[in-house]
Amino acid sequence: MKFIFVIVMLLPVLSYAEEGVYSLIIREHRFQPAEIAIPAGKKVKLIVENQDATPEEFESHDLNREKVIAGNGKATIYIGPLKPGRYSFEGEFNPKTAQGTIIAR
Ligand SMILES: [Cu+2]
């Protein structure tokens, strides 16, 4: 009985992991990693953690996304489903250094 209870409790966690969650860090006005590979044709969740003290804006014309992330803050951005290809994004407040690419394949 206890064993079944544990499995039921784990189910939401397992399905959450299957959804496809990707982490992106902003540090010293750069994205880490600068390239993220995701599966094409699937909706994915991108969690962006800004470790800088200043705000940054995740901006992507390719992905049609724009979101301000407070200094030392976090934001969740849903992307996709995407066709295979490369999709660039940048930190609009620091575009000289904050550049990245999503690769859907
Ligand atoms: Cu913008």
Side-chain angles (χ1 to χ4, degrees):
M1 200 60 183
K2 267 186 186 169
F3 181 67
I4 290 168
F5 179 71
V6 168
I7 289 175
V8 170
M9 291 298 285
L10 281 173
L11 279 175
V13 177
L14 294 174
S15 52
Y16 177 79
E18 278 171 18
E19 185 187 336
V21 181
Y22 295 83
S23 291
L24 190 58
I25 288 169
I26 298 166
R27 190 187 293 149
E28 293 176 354
H29 311 303
R30 287 173 196 278
F31 290 107
Q32 295 179 11
E35 286 193 355
I36 299 180
I38 66 165
K42 284 192 177 156
K43 185 179 179 180
V44 306
K45 182 178 183 175
L46 197 60
I47 298 172
V48 188
E49 181 183 350
N50 183 5
Q51 296 186 349
D52 288 336
T54 54
E56 184 55 275
E57 184 179 274
F58 179 98
E59 163 108 23
S60 174
H61 297 289
D62 291 349
L63 298 164
N64 191 26
R65 291 288 179 278
E66 187 172 48
K67 191 150 198 174
V68 174
I69 305 141
N72 297 308
K74 265 188 192 179
T76 299
I77 298 165
Y78 288 94
I79 53 175
L82 297 175
K83 290 178 186 166
R86 297 173 67 88
Y87 301 81
S88 66
F89 59 87
E90 67 173 22
E92 200 183 3
F93 299 159
N94 300 277
K96 282 181 185 164
T97 51
Q99 292 287 334
T101 309
I102 302 271
I103 301 157
R105 58 188 170 210

